[in-house]
Amino acid sequence: MTTKEAEVFDGVRPDLCPVCGSSAVSEPGASASASCPRCGHLLWFASTRVGDVTVIRLLDTRMAVMELLELLDNAVCEGAVSRIVLNFGSIQQVSSAALGKLIKLRSRADALRGKIRLCGFHADLRQVFRITRLDGIFDLYDTETEALAAFAVE
C-alpha cells in the first residue's frame, strides 16, 4: 500500500492490525473469528495487493460493512485504489443501506475509470443480488481467483 493509500485510510492500513500495527493479511478461507496474531484484536477485513488490484476480504460477519465501504469510497475518490476485488467470504447478509453504498462506490469507481469485482458469495447473499437485479450491475465471481483473472483479460 502506498503512502497515499495509508493517508486515505486515516493512517490505518487495512492490511495491518488497527490496534498494534502487525500484519493482518489473511489467507483465503480464514475463519470468521480471525484475530490479530500479535494482540488478538478481532479483524473484520484484510487487504492485500495483487499487482495493481486491491483485494479486500471480509473476515467477520459482525463487521461494519458501511465503514469499509466508506473507506473504499474515500480511497477511490483520492485515487489511491481503482481496481478492487471485494470478497464477501462468509457474509450471509448486508443491509439495504450497504447495498446502496456499494452501488455508489461502483458508480464512483466507474466515473474514475476504476473497476470493482465481487466474489465469494454465500448462497443467501447471492440470492439477494439476484432478486434486486444487482447481479446485472456488478461483475460477480464465485472465487477470488476468477475475479482476479478477469482483471488480467481487460
Side-chain angles (χ1 to χ4, degrees), residues 14-124:
D15 56 345
L16 298 179
C17 174
V19 175
C20 71
S22 66
S23 177
V25 175
S26 70
E27 295 300 317
S31 81
S33 60
S35 60
C36 172
R38 184 170 171 207
C39 73
H41 176 73
L42 286 180
L43 305 171
W44 48 280
F45 77 94
S47 77
T48 57
R49 295 286 287 196
V50 179
D52 64 345
V53 179
T54 301
V55 179
I56 306 289
R57 294 182 189 107
L58 302 174
L59 302 175
D60 189 340
T61 57
R62 298 173 309 251
M63 86 317 169
V65 174
M66 294 294 288
E67 289 179 40
L68 173 61
L69 293 175
E70 188 65 35
L71 286 172
L72 288 174
D73 190 51
N74 290 339
V76 168
C77 286
E78 295 294 324
V81 296
S82 62
R83 295 163 47 107
I84 301 168
V85 170
L86 185 56
N87 186 336
F88 282 87
S90 63
I91 306 300
Q92 289 183 309
Q93 58 186 340
V94 295
S95 69
S96 58
L99 292 175
K101 189 73 143 172
L102 193 57
I103 292 167
K104 177 183 171 192
L105 176 63
R106 181 194 173 271
S107 296
R108 189 168 325 263
D110 284 352
L112 298 171
R113 297 180 184 225
K115 194 75 170 167
I116 298 175
R117 299 224 159 87
L118 310 178
C119 67
F121 287 95
H122 184 277
D124 294 343

